Amino acid sequence: MARKLIAVCLSSLFLVATGVYADSTPPKANLVDGNSIQALKDMGSYLQTLQRFQATLNLSSESVLEDGEKLQQSATAEIQVKRPNKLRAIMTSARATRDLIYDGKTVTLYTPALKYYATTDAADNILGMIHQMEDKYGLQIPLEDLFLWGTPNAPVDQIESAMNAGQDFIAQDLCNHYAFRQGKIDWQIWISAGNHPLPRKIVITNRSDEARPQSISLLSWNLAPTFTDAVFKFIPPKGASAIVIRPVDAK
């Protein structure tokens, strides 16, 4: 009897810990919680204060076959940033590795496996360069939203639902968990609690597809990096060949 009672008590403690017996009422859907929106603004304001940093992204994403079966792919990205106009991003997966180097005047794309590189003129600030690369060349920069939040162009007015989903640990970092809905996209973000509101995890769900494919991004940060300006200068490796990058609307 004593063992059975202990087991029941332990089970009860587990259920409480996992939220099954939580006292709080779940937030209602389709409501915009002002505090959750403010958390995004606070995160964006803090991100804009970071002058030099390094961030690493571990990404898992899903693709859906015609019969509904899901396949998961993984990739990593590392960015090194010096505001207002220097960035390097290394994107790695089993299929390819790409290196992007932005020095404030030009952007160079380099593929080590093929030893091809292309250089083009660029805007004189990071966000302008990001928009240029996407609009003109169809190229998305890893973690580009980090440079959008905290600016007047942040899509706060497009959010249709916002809620505070509680707290979770990401690694050893206690984070506030928020959930948002924009059109056919649901997304969740875990932001470090305390004085350094950094995004640590992002989950995006595509509701336009019945299979609801997701992407999951885990971010780690170094706010005191040791890199020098040399990382933003591209020197073609021996045997590398220059090619021309073509705009997406070029014929």
Side-chain angles (χ1 to χ4, degrees):
M1 177 64 72
R3 289 183 180 179
K4 184 176 181 180
L5 181 59
I6 292 173
V8 170
C9 290
L10 289 175
S11 298
S12 299
L13 287 172
F14 176 78
L15 292 173
V16 170
T18 54
V20 174
Y21 289 161
D23 293 331
S24 59
T25 302
K28 296 180 180 179
N30 300 321
L31 295 179
V32 178
D33 171 51
N35 290 332
S36 297
I37 299 296
Q38 187 60 49
L40 287 180
K41 294 179 179 180
D42 292 344
M43 177 194 73
S45 296
Y46 179 69
L47 289 172
Q48 293 300 318
T49 69
L50 303 179
Q51 297 302 303
R52 295 179 76 254
F53 65 89
Q54 185 169 320
T56 302
L57 168 73
N58 288 287
L59 170 68
S60 295
S61 61
E62 295 178 332
S63 59
V64 183
L65 304 181
E66 291 184 358
D67 62 358
E69 183 178 1
K70 292 183 180 181
L71 300 179
Q72 188 177 82
Q73 297 87 32
S74 299
T76 62
E78 181 178 36
I79 64 170
Q80 296 165 307
V81 175
K82 181 181 178 181
R83 293 183 190 272
N85 58 1
K86 290 180 174 58
L87 180 147
R88 185 163 190 165
I90 301 175
M91 301 149 278
T92 305
S93 72
R95 293 164 291 283
T97 295
R98 293 186 300 170
D99 196 355
L100 179 146
I101 304 100
Y102 168 58
D103 63 5
K105 296 180 179 179
T106 63
V107 168
T108 298
L109 296 171
Y110 176 56
T111 54
L114 300 176
K115 288 193 173 182
Y116 287 149
Y117 68 93
T119 300
T120 184
D121 292 336
D124 63 358
N125 63 87
I126 292 173
L127 190 56
M129 179 274 294
I130 288 173
H131 289 156
Q132 179 185 5
M133 292 297 105
E134 186 167 3
D135 296 341
K136 188 173 182 179
Y137 300 107
L139 177 67
Q140 287 191 313
I141 309 299
L143 302 173
E144 60 185 38
D145 285 350
L146 298 181
F147 305 96
L148 181 62
W149 290 104
T151 73
N153 295 321
V156 176
D157 58 347
Q158 300 175 19
I159 294 175
E160 303 165 7
S161 174
M163 68 176 71
N164 185 327
Q167 290 186 315
D168 278 320
F169 278 101
I170 305 300
Q172 302 299 315
D173 194 3
L174 180 63
C175 296
N176 296 314
H177 177 197
Y178 302 96
F180 303 93
R181 174 164 289 182
Q182 290 176 243
K184 294 296 184 180
I185 298 296
D186 288 349
W187 59 284
Q188 304 170 64
I189 187 167
W190 286 254
I191 302 174
S192 296
N195 297 326
H196 304 287
L198 294 166
R200 295 298 314 278
K201 180 179 178 180
I202 301 170
V203 175
I204 299 174
T205 303
N206 180 4
R207 293 189 300 110
S208 65
D209 189 323
E210 292 183 357
R212 301 291 196 269
Q214 287 188 330
S215 68
I216 301 174
S217 301
L218 295 172
L219 294 89
S220 57
W221 295 83
N222 181 354
L223 303 185
T226 58
F227 61 74
T228 67
D229 282 2
V231 304
F232 306 113
K233 182 178 180 180
F234 178 73
I235 299 176
K238 184 177 180 180
S241 301
I243 61 174
V244 176
I245 181 171
R246 295 173 62 86
V248 291
D249 58 355
K251 296 182 179 179

